[in-house]
Amino acid sequence: MSPAMAVDLYFEDVPVGAELVTASHTLGDDDVHAFARLTRDHHPLHTDPDYCRGTPFGRIIAHGLHGLALMEGLKTELRLYENTSIASLGWDRVRFRAPVFPGDTLRVRVRFESKRETRDGARGIVLERLWLLNQRDETVIEAEHSALLKKRGGA
C-alpha cells in the first residue's frame, strides 16, 4: 500500500496485512538532550559522554521512550488517521532491541495486524505492528499499538 493511498483511513478502509514505511529522520545530539530536558530524565547514559565511554555502548544513547515517541511521530506524518482517529488505546509488547545513537537515521515500518468493531459497533479498533529501523535496516524497537477509529457514517 502506498502512503498516499493511506491518508485519513476510516476503520472500514484499513487493509489488514498491508504495510507502509515512513519517511526517515536523523536523530541529533540536540534531540537527545531536548528529550532529557523535557522528560527530566538526565541519566548519564543519555547525557554524559565521559560516563558513556565506560559502558558497552561507548557513547551516548537515546532514551528508549524517545524512540517509541519518534515511532508515533513518524507514523503520524503519514496522516493515516488525520481526521478519523478517536484515541490511542495504548502500546503493548514494546521491546528495545538495540541502542539508538545520535546520528542514526530512523524510519518506521507499520503493518496493520488486525481490526475489530467495538462492542456497540459504532467504532473500530485497529492493531498495528511497528518496527523502528536504523540506517542498517536493524530493528531497534518493535511494538504493537491499538488505535480507536471512526467508522464511516459513525458519530
Side-chain angles (χ1 to χ4, degrees):
M1 165 177 240
S2 82
M5 294 171 48
V7 173
D8 249 352
L9 296 173
Y10 283 86
F11 172 76
E12 296 90 335
D13 302 330
V14 173
V16 173
E19 292 190 5
L20 297 164
V21 177
T22 69
S24 62
H25 170 75
T26 300
L27 191 71
D29 285 313
D30 56 332
D31 296 323
V32 176
H33 290 288
F35 193 85
R37 280 190 304 278
L38 178 68
T39 61
R40 302 179 56 87
D41 180 352
H42 297 280
H43 191 282
L45 278 172
H46 314 299
T47 59
D48 185 345
D50 292 331
Y51 174 88
C52 290
R53 280 192 267 289
T55 70
F57 306 115
R59 56 189 171 131
I60 285 176
I61 61 170
H63 302 71
L65 292 177
H66 188 172
L68 187 63
L70 188 58
M71 290 171 80
E72 179 64 20
L74 288 168
K75 183 181 67 130
T76 299
E77 289 178 347
L78 291 173
R79 300 178 56 218
L80 295 174
Y81 319 124
E82 187 79 5
N83 297 291
T84 59
S85 176
I86 298 170
S88 169
L89 299 178
W91 290 82
D92 296 297
R93 298 192 170 141
V94 177
R95 293 293 177 261
F96 303 117
R97 299 290 182 200
V100 174
F101 297 106
D104 280 353
T105 299
L106 305 161
R107 68 190 183 294
V108 176
R109 182 167 55 109
V110 181
R111 181 173 62 220
F112 300 112
E113 280 296 290
S114 64
K115 64 182 187 177
R116 66 176 177 81
E117 289 185 351
T118 57
R119 195 177 339 229
D120 65 8
R123 300 164 291 189
I125 297 171
V126 173
L127 179 66
E128 307 159 340
R129 185 100 181 120
L130 300 100
W131 297 265
L132 185 65
L133 307 169
N134 66 18
Q135 65 277 5
R136 292 178 299 281
D137 286 328
E138 298 166 335
T139 297
V140 293
I141 301 175
E142 61 183 291
E144 290 180 352
H145 177 249
S146 296
L148 182 64
L149 300 182
K150 294 178 183 178
K151 289 180 70 178
R152 290 193 184 282

